[in-house]
Amino acid sequence: MVIKTENLTYVYGQGTPFQKTAVDNVNLTFEGGEIIGVIGHTGSGKSTLIQHFNGLLKPTAGKITLDGEDIWADKSRLRAVRFNVGLVFQYPEYQLFEETVYKDIAFGPKNMGLSEEEIDKRVREAAEFVGLRAELLEKSPFELSGGQKRRVAIAGVIAMEPKVLILDEPTAGLDPKGRNKILDQIKAYHDKVQNTILLVSHSMEDVANYADKVLVMNEAKVFAYDTVENV
Ligand code: ATP
Ligand code: MG
């Protein structure tokens, strides 16, 4: 799946005294099948940019296409866009709201109208993939640690088997061992399904060993987009 942005601009609070351009005239193409690290300082626009790729934010100006189709051209297609492009939020609590871990992971596949059997299979596989023990499935997500919550959020998105997987700071708040573990799992998942993965992080260190390409955001603009060696 090819993701393309054309003169993409996003302004928070447009027309108010607090107006802020968070994404400024960005032109990018992601060809598909690669791991792309997205780095940049706090406030450089990483989260704002990536939230456009699954139609969570609507561009203030410019457009975003998936396989050549403007995702906002026909709003009835936004649903399919959300299934194809899975997004794990920077703050995973945002996507945990069911009474059990199992139900949270099953939420996406359920919305896709899959059979109970298929949903069950996907939930268990996704949980195993991110290293959640089976007995945790019946717990409340709110009893879990921060790292485990993030794993639940990741599993919920993986269970939809999206063509594009976007992870916003999946290593935030983890110690070095936990960081490497989760990045190894993400890499293993990529090797298995060959989807596009956007990996947002504060640090080049995090992405250097895992990404094919690196996108560096700076003050709402693309500062660099190239292979790890060239950035
Ligand atoms: P971080 O590394 O801290 O997650 P980021 O690169 O993801 O930062 P964004 O969250 O996209 O950056 O924010 C880009 C800019 O937009 C910042 O100046 C931020 O203050 C502003 N911003 C983000 N969300 C909002 C909002 N809901 N309302 C107003 N301004 C916002
Ligand atoms: Mg962010």
Side-chain angles (χ1 to χ4, degrees):
M1 176 160 269
V2 180
I3 304 177
K4 198 166 173 188
T5 71
E6 291 171 38
N7 305 320
L8 183 69
T9 295
Y10 190 81
V11 182
Y12 285 108
Q14 197 177 28
T16 72
F18 311 105
Q19 179 166 318
K20 166 90 199 175
T21 302
V23 173
D24 191 0
N25 203 29
V26 165
N27 290 285
L28 284 167
T29 304
F30 303 118
E31 288 294 347
E34 291 177 319
I35 299 184
I36 295 138
V38 181
I39 63 171
H41 296 302
T42 287
S44 57
K46 302 180 299 295
S47 295
T48 306
L49 174 68
I50 53 124
Q51 285 175 49
H52 282 84
F53 299 152
N54 77 338
L56 209 59
L57 291 179
K58 188 174 182 192
T60 305
K63 67 177 177 181
I64 165 129
T65 64
L66 293 182
D67 284 342
E69 283 199 53
D70 182 342
I71 67 171
W72 287 97
D74 174 0
K75 287 200 184 108
S76 69
R77 291 191 61 256
L78 272 177
R79 205 178 146 81
V81 169
R82 299 253 159 94
F83 295 146
N84 279 322
V85 183
L87 174 64
V88 181
F89 290 103
Q90 183 163 0
Y91 305 100
E93 282 81 0
Y94 288 1
Q95 55 207 117
L96 305 179
F97 38 76
E98 300 282 359
E99 63 266 40
T100 65
V101 169
Y102 184 98
K103 284 188 186 170
D104 260 326
I105 301 176
F107 182 82
K110 242 192 184 124
N111 266 317
M112 297 171 83
L114 302 172
S115 70
E116 283 299 326
E117 203 186 347
E118 176 67 18
I119 292 170
D120 189 65
K121 180 172 152 269
R122 287 194 184 194
V123 169
R124 290 178 194 286
E125 275 177 9
E128 199 185 331
F129 207 92
V130 298
L132 287 168
R133 296 190 313 278
E135 60 265 32
L136 288 182
L137 290 174
E138 294 316 317
K139 281 207 163 200
S140 159
F142 302 100
E143 292 168 34
L144 306 182
S145 71
Q148 285 171 326
K149 280 183 193 154
R150 197 172 290 280
R151 285 169 200 283
V152 176
I154 295 173
V157 173
I158 284 180
M160 295 196 290
E161 301 186 353
K163 293 192 182 123
V164 179
L165 173 62
I166 304 173
L167 299 144
D168 198 349
E169 312 238 7
T171 60
L174 300 180
D175 60 17
K177 204 173 142 216
R179 289 156 77 120
N180 286 339
K181 198 168 161 201
I182 208 142
L183 290 169
D184 284 342
Q185 282 161 343
I186 292 163
K187 176 92 170 101
Y189 175 71
H190 177 260
D191 290 346
K192 187 176 137 202
V193 302
Q194 296 295 319
N195 57 352
T196 303
I197 295 186
L198 296 185
L199 188 60
V200 181
S201 172
H202 270 98
S203 84
M204 181 66 185
E205 211 187 344
D206 252 12
V207 303
N209 293 325
Y210 297 91
D212 301 299
K213 286 197 183 134
V214 179
L215 165 63
V216 185
M217 292 295 292
N218 186 44
E219 293 182 2
K221 288 190 183 350
V222 174
F223 180 73
Y225 176 46
D226 209 331
T227 57
V228 176
E229 297 79 38
N230 290 341
V231 158

